[in-house]
Amino acid sequence: MSDAPGALTHATVMTGRSLLISRRNIDAVITSMMLPIMLMLIFVYFFGGAIDTGTAYDSYVMYVVPGVLLLCAGFGASTTAVAVSEDMKGGIIDRFRTLDIGGMPILAGHVAASTARNLISTTLVFAVALLIGFRPAATPVGWLAVAAVLIAYIVALSWISAAIGLLARTPEAAGGFTFFMSFLPYPSSAFVPVDSMPGWLHGFADHQPVTPAIESLRGLLLDQPVGNAPWIALAWATGILLVAVALSGVLFRIRTR
């Protein structure tokens, strides 16, 4: 087994490899970046005038941007599942194992590359939001908290995507499995208040992992009270991360016997 410095070096090399592959699949990268932007523009300009979010928001764009940021994280993380599945199907993993590169550095490289891509796409989404009227009022501490919540969710979702990539037998199946992650922001407070949803949906919408993250981002960005929402959001992200890392390790050993 590789020591910690060796594993870190391997993970760094694997990250560089994943980023190079992303440069060759520029169409997939552009799609993952542009789709959240298109959805934000559709919601703001097509549906925004018909959605009542209460009196606390000057315009719908002020309400919807935090949800789009989480949606962007889900879309970006989903590409990790496809990339991991392609590695497993293509046989490159066997070559890495002959070079004494362990499973966790390989997966960590995919996750780190996903995080880097996600941060770029999140910055792009935020820039477009500013152009169409989003005006944040976050304090310096608030900005740090926003970054912490976003990065925590990006890393957690990327690791769960890596586990899905190991579980799926084909890249196409991996892409289909990650649909659930992209779907989660919809039954939440991302686009409409939970109170406006059917009563039977309130329990799930209030207590699923995306809702406290969105409420945290919205409150922090607009300098509004957030209560315990950031801590709940970080607890969810930590729990997902721990389960995903452990599951990825088990699945990698099973798939590479």
Side-chain angles (χ1 to χ4, degrees), residues 188-241:
S188 73
S189 61
F191 303 107
V192 297
V194 172
D195 292 342
S196 67
M197 299 178 184
W200 57 266
L201 191 55
H202 286 186
F204 177 78
D206 280 329
H207 299 97
Q208 62 131 312
V210 170
T211 297
I214 292 171
E215 292 299 315
S216 299
L217 295 177
R218 185 175 290 128
L220 292 166
L221 286 170
L222 302 181
D223 196 22
Q224 296 175 351
V226 293
N228 292 325
W231 299 112
I232 297 173
L234 290 174
W236 267 111
T238 302
I240 293 171
L241 177 62

Side-chain angles (χ1 to χ4, degrees), residues 14-212:
M14 291 297 101
T15 300
R17 168 184 175 267
S18 296
L19 290 174
L20 285 175
I21 293 175
S22 296
R23 289 176 56 186
R24 296 171 185 169
N25 296 326
I26 193 66
D27 53 341
V29 175
I30 291 176
T31 299
S32 66
M33 290 181 179
M34 294 306 297
L35 190 54
I37 292 175
M38 295 302 298
L39 286 173
M40 178 172 63
L41 295 176
I42 288 171
F43 271 95
V44 170
Y45 291 115
F46 291 3
F47 307 135
I51 298 175
D52 181 15
T53 57
T55 59
Y57 307 97
D58 297 332
S59 62
Y60 184 62
V61 69
M62 299 295 289
Y63 181 89
V64 78
V65 167
V68 174
L69 293 176
L70 261 293
L71 188 68
C72 180
F75 279 127
S78 66
T79 60
T80 306
V82 177
V84 170
S85 182
E86 287 176 342
D87 274 358
M88 300 303 297
K89 183 180 179 181
I92 191 66
I93 298 298
D94 292 333
R95 183 176 180 183
F96 288 152
R97 293 182 69 196
T98 63
L99 297 174
D100 195 29
I101 300 176
M104 296 311 289
I106 295 172
L107 297 176
H110 280 293
V111 170
S114 172
T115 302
R117 292 191 302 267
N118 256 303
L119 291 176
I120 294 172
S121 59
T122 299
T123 302
L124 182 60
V125 168
F126 198 82
V128 174
L130 292 175
L131 289 175
I132 64 174
F134 183 68
R135 296 295 179 263
T139 64
V141 173
W143 281 112
L144 291 175
V146 166
V149 171
L150 269 177
I151 292 173
Y153 267 78
I154 289 171
V155 173
L157 292 178
S158 295
W159 268 108
I160 202 69
S161 290
I164 291 172
L166 292 168
L167 187 64
R169 293 296 175 177
T170 65
E172 293 77 13
F177 288 156
T178 54
F179 168 78
F180 182 68
M181 290 193 309
S182 301
F183 174 75
L184 270 181
Y186 292 97
S188 73
S189 61
F191 303 107
V192 297
V194 172
D195 292 342
S196 67
M197 299 178 184
W200 57 266
L201 191 55
H202 286 186
F204 177 78
D206 280 329
H207 299 97
Q208 62 131 312
V210 170
T211 297

